[in-house]
Amino acid sequence: MPRGRMRPHLSAASVLLLALMSVASAATVGNPEDYTADEAERTAADNMVFDDYRGKGCVDDSGFVYKLGERFYPGHSNCPCVCTEDGPVCDQPECPKLHPKCTKVEHNGCCPECKEVKNFCEYRGKTYKILEEFKPSPCEWCRCEPNNEVHCVVSDCAVPECVNPVYEPEQCCPICKNGPNCFAGTTIIPAGIEVKVDDCTICRCHNGDWWKPAQCLRRECLNGQSFS
């Protein structure tokens, strides 16, 4: 048998292990182009310079730069400001008080301004002009005052001179449609005259005291005959 070098014999398991090691090594190394891009981004971020105006000027909300001592409106305030080394110093004036009945306020200037004052009254869901007179009910007389408040007067009704007063539409106080009267028992009789309520009884209302029962005079009737 001729002599020569013996070739090493690799098992299947050894071959598989070598293949896995090669794949892992390739994944670790990665793509060189990726490293170049990441490095460029880091370099650009390190070289980025932000302007610093502290102690040199002021910047408003829109990015405009103002010099020290210059007056400007920073944006967050409607009042003018002066640029200082410590930042903007804004005016804080004593603004006039708004009208208590102001219904429209504008904030375009340094101080709020009232653009519309309430010039009407509200009463029971309705509106009325200043000095307008109205009657919300038959018994009420009202007026819209200059201070936007409603002043009302309620009618004081006299006591009706009857026991059956009625209320007419659009009238405040009750009226006696049939004139003064009073009760004679359960019967209503007119005042001022004697009334024969049955064959044996005559009644009359008290003068001025309509709420009192009538004065009645009863006579004995013979054989069912009435007196004259």
Side-chain angles (χ1 to χ4, degrees):
M1 178 182 293
R3 293 177 123 185
R5 290 188 177 179
M6 295 186 63
R7 305 178 98 188
H9 178 72
L10 297 178
S11 64
S14 299
V15 174
L16 179 60
L17 179 58
L18 291 173
L20 291 175
M21 292 177 63
S22 299
V23 173
S25 176
T28 303
V29 173
N31 191 345
E33 295 181 358
D34 294 339
Y35 280 99
T36 304
D38 294 342
E39 188 65 27
E41 291 180 2
R42 283 196 293 270
T43 303
D46 294 338
N47 294 333
M48 187 176 294
V49 178
F50 294 93
D51 294 332
D52 187 1
Y53 296 100
R54 288 176 296 181
K56 302 176 183 177
C58 301
V59 183
D60 65 7
D61 292 353
S62 301
F64 290 99
V65 181
Y66 298 87
K67 299 178 181 179
L68 295 178
E70 192 172 0
R71 294 179 67 85
F72 70 103
Y73 292 87
H76 63 273
S77 171
N78 288 324
C79 297
C81 304
V82 177
C83 180
T84 70
E85 292 183 357
D86 297 325
V89 177
C90 301
D91 294 345
Q92 295 182 348
E94 291 188 8
C95 297
K97 294 183 179 180
L98 296 176
H99 194 283
K101 300 294 183 180
C102 185
T103 56
K104 184 178 180 181
V105 181
E106 287 188 358
H107 299 273
N108 295 330
C110 185
C111 292
E113 294 184 61
C114 180
K115 293 299 183 180
E116 186 175 330
V117 178
K118 180 180 178 182
N119 58 353
F120 59 89
C121 299
E122 294 180 82
Y123 189 73
R124 296 180 182 175
K126 296 183 179 180
T127 59
Y128 302 91
K129 298 178 181 179
I130 299 296
L131 300 181
E132 181 179 357
E133 298 179 357
F134 57 97
K135 294 186 68 176
S137 71
C139 294
E140 292 177 288
W141 176 86
C142 302
R143 186 174 73 171
C144 176
E145 301 294 345
N147 61 354
N148 304 108
E149 295 182 358
V150 174
H151 178 72
C152 295
V153 176
V154 180
S155 300
D156 187 11
C157 297
V159 178
E161 297 181 348
C162 59
V163 295
N164 56 349
V166 295
Y167 287 87
E168 293 288 345
E170 302 303 322
Q171 289 190 4
C172 174
C173 299
I175 61 174
C176 298
K177 296 189 70 173
N178 299 318
N181 54 37
C182 68
F183 277 112
T186 57
T187 303
I188 298 176
I189 63 173
I193 60 173
E194 292 184 346
V195 179
K196 190 177 181 180
V197 296
D198 58 35
D199 291 340
C200 301
T201 307
I202 293 179
C203 297
R204 185 184 183 91
C205 293
H206 292 272
N207 291 331
D209 297 332
W210 58 267
W211 62 89
K212 294 181 179 180
Q215 290 178 319
C216 295
L217 179 61
R218 183 175 179 82
R219 296 182 180 180
E220 185 177 353
C221 299
L222 299 175
N223 298 325
Q225 295 180 355
S226 61
F227 57 87
S228 58

